[in-house]
Amino acid sequence: MLDSNRLRRLEQMPLWDFALAFYADPEVERACLALQDAGGVDVCELLLHGWLYVHGLEALPDALAEQRQSREAWQREVTQVLRHLRRSLKPEALNSDSIAALRKTIQKAELQAERENLQRWQSWALEVVAFEGRLKNAAPRSQDVAKWLQDSLYLAQLDKECVDTSGARESVSQAFQVLATRLDRFEVPR
């Protein structure tokens, strides 16, 4: 049975608010971007797991797998397209004010796409009818939070697939450690 106090606190801190507060830490931002670029991690899903974690909850794997397909499609078809466009315009933006303004507009659209994705994750997690089938009380974790987070994202295969010549494995491992440390210290507003 889910702890109703945990659910109430979860409802009082929207995922977007958590994401803004957590991501405001420059180390968290760097870690998220390293995981996104070197490990192919969906930062929105990563933030979902962090949000649930600080409230003592976690997503059930089967329910998560279903939603993940929908969220991955959104990321692939919307967010990643905007991100690619924004990044590809960066060199031109250095020499053109109009391209710089366009790039800034695209960056705002990319942020809005991320916010929409987070809102959809939140709706999925908080849908009252489905609470029992989507979330569970998390066991206290005094051990390796970084490994739990990596496993939650189904990235066990990441350790096998990262090419060490580029330092990707070490970068990914360090990023998970940074996030684990920050999650353990994150203070949920009361």
Side-chain angles (χ1 to χ4, degrees):
M1 179 118 188
L2 284 172
D3 182 327
S4 61
N5 290 325
R6 292 179 191 188
L7 290 173
R8 202 169 16 265
R9 285 192 304 269
L10 187 71
E11 291 170 330
Q12 292 171 352
M13 180 179 214
L15 178 51
W16 178 251
D17 293 348
F18 165 79
L20 290 176
F22 189 58
Y23 203 84
D25 179 331
E27 291 295 315
V28 168
E29 179 182 0
R30 278 192 288 280
C32 287
L33 292 175
L35 289 170
Q36 175 182 280
D37 293 341
V41 170
D42 178 350
V43 173
C44 288
E45 183 179 345
L46 176 78
L47 292 168
L48 166 79
H49 290 290
W51 177 61
L52 294 173
Y53 174 82
V54 300
H55 289 91
L57 298 164
E58 62 184 285
L60 293 168
D62 290 341
L64 184 65
E66 287 178 30
Q67 181 64 4
R68 181 179 281 138
Q69 287 182 337
S70 177
R71 298 298 87 240
E72 284 175 350
W74 176 266
Q75 290 293 76
R76 184 178 55 256
E77 296 166 9
V78 180
T79 310
Q80 289 174 1
V81 171
L82 292 167
R83 182 178 304 123
H84 174 74
L85 186 55
R86 175 182 55 81
R87 286 178 173 178
S88 68
L89 289 173
K90 187 174 184 176
E92 287 183 66
L94 296 173
N95 300 317
S96 169
D97 290 342
S98 61
I99 297 295
L102 174 60
R103 189 170 178 270
K104 191 165 194 74
T105 299
I106 293 167
Q107 184 176 28
K108 288 178 185 178
E110 181 186 354
L111 183 61
Q112 185 59 38
E114 296 281 0
R115 184 175 188 166
E116 177 63 27
N117 201 20
L118 288 171
Q119 288 172 332
R120 290 177 184 198
W121 272 118
Q122 177 180 309
S123 294
W124 170 82
L126 294 177
E127 196 169 275
V128 176
V129 177
F131 269 149
E132 295 296 328
R134 294 185 181 172
L135 305 178
K136 68 177 182 175
N137 295 326
R141 289 187 211 321
S142 58
Q143 69 278 20
D144 195 349
V145 175
K147 176 151 179 25
W148 166 81
L149 188 56
Q150 181 173 339
D151 290 347
S152 294
L153 292 161
Y154 297 109
L155 294 175
Q157 75 276 7
L158 184 65
D159 193 43
K160 297 175 201 161
E161 296 173 5
C162 272
V163 179
D164 211 2
T165 56
S166 66
R169 181 177 291 133
E170 185 176 327
S171 174
V172 165
S173 178
Q174 287 175 348
F176 275 118
Q177 288 300 323
V178 165
L179 294 175
T181 301
R182 297 311 193 275
L183 282 171
D184 279 340
R185 288 194 242 148
F186 188 82
E187 293 289 324
V188 177
R190 302 256 173 211

